[in-house]
Amino acid sequence: MRGGKRCSLVLMLGLAAGGAGIAHAARRQAEAVDWRRAATEEDRLRLRNWRDAWMKGLRQARAGGWETDVAALGELVNPDRSIAEPGLPDGDYRCRTIKLGSQGRGTLTYIAYPYFRCRVSDGGKQLVKLTGSQRLTGRLYPDTDARSIFLGTLMLGDEERSYAYGQDRARDMAGVLERVGERSWRIAFPYPAYESILDVVELVADEGTAGTGAGGTAGASGT
């Protein structure tokens, strides 16, 4: 009986510690100005290796017979393409996900999904994918004059609430946001939890989205 009570106490303490850790991670993200203070250690590692993931994903997609499809994407999948002023203006966007490479057998090395709907709010700090069976939601952090960083989580199916960032490593998302055209951006997610080596989310601003005229000329295919 005493042993059972001790086990129950240990379990309750573990749950409390886990809940405190999740709350701390969420609070850390909300309060952080520097994305490095908000990101988990695993996501910092992912982001450090973003270029390795990009090149590996491209190699696998081309070797898998998708070379023509990859070439048609143009500057969207050029890792060296970046225009100054990467911030996303508030407004609505068309967004789609392109998967490059495969983490194992049985999955394609290239998948291009159709466009869905995304929205940016809070002065360019919040991004959410509104439609589709896999929906990202999270925060954008300034980094350099050529890129920003996205930290967020993945919502699946008919879920109405997202996990707190840092609660589930399989749901956490970390990506590099860059501007690639006059009205187009991309977020590159190196080594996502599922399927691919690199996910590229393309965002194309709706006509009504303000502040998209500066920063260069259109360069991304498919806009």
Side-chain angles (χ1 to χ4, degrees):
M1 194 67 182
R2 289 181 180 177
K5 288 182 178 180
R6 282 198 297 270
C7 289
S8 297
L9 178 60
V10 169
L11 177 60
M12 287 188 292
L13 289 173
L15 291 173
I22 292 167
H24 176 71
R27 185 170 62 252
R28 181 179 63 187
Q29 186 190 24
E31 294 175 352
V33 176
D34 187 335
W35 67 267
R36 296 167 187 83
R37 294 182 176 273
T40 64
E41 182 177 351
E42 184 172 3
D43 282 346
R44 289 195 295 271
L45 179 61
R46 287 181 187 178
L47 293 171
R48 281 198 297 271
N49 294 322
W50 70 271
R51 189 175 183 85
D52 290 340
W54 204 310
M55 302 313 294
K56 184 177 181 180
L58 284 174
R59 285 195 302 271
Q60 287 191 7
R62 288 166 177 155
W66 303 96
E67 188 169 1
T68 300
D69 299 83
V70 171
L73 296 172
E75 297 291 353
L76 181 62
V77 292
N78 177 1
D80 297 319
R81 174 67 170 179
S82 181
I83 296 175
E85 302 177 19
L88 280 165
D90 285 359
D92 291 335
Y93 293 76
R94 291 186 296 126
C95 54
R96 63 170 174 162
T97 299
I98 295 145
K99 291 179 172 288
L100 299 173
S102 172
Q103 294 184 22
R105 296 178 180 177
T107 56
L108 296 173
T109 57
Y110 174 86
I111 303 173
Y113 289 98
Y115 285 99
F116 291 95
R117 305 300 304 171
C118 287
R119 180 168 295 155
V120 177
S121 60
D122 194 20
K125 295 179 181 178
Q126 297 292 328
L127 170 64
V128 60
K129 184 170 180 277
L130 301 172
T131 56
S133 60
Q134 298 183 19
R135 302 178 305 283
L136 58 83
T137 178
R139 182 174 174 182
L140 291 159
Y141 295 82
D143 188 36
T144 70
D145 61 356
R147 76 177 202 174
S148 298
I149 298 296
F150 174 88
L151 298 176
T153 58
L154 181 67
M155 297 173 63
L156 301 174
D158 58 357
E159 292 176 346
E160 296 182 357
R161 296 183 62 183
S162 63
Y163 282 69
Y165 176 75
Q167 181 178 357
D168 185 343
R169 285 183 290 181
R171 296 293 190 104
D172 288 346
M173 301 182 71
V176 177
L177 168 71
E178 295 174 302
R179 190 172 194 160
V180 292
E182 184 177 1
R183 305 186 67 83
S184 56
W185 290 255
R186 69 178 177 214
I187 307 177
F189 293 95
Y191 300 109
Y194 303 103
E195 302 175 333
S196 54
I197 301 298
L198 181 82
D199 285 353
V200 178
V201 174
E202 179 189 25
L203 298 112
V204 183
D206 284 353
E207 291 296 330
T209 296
T212 58
T217 57
S221 175
T223 62

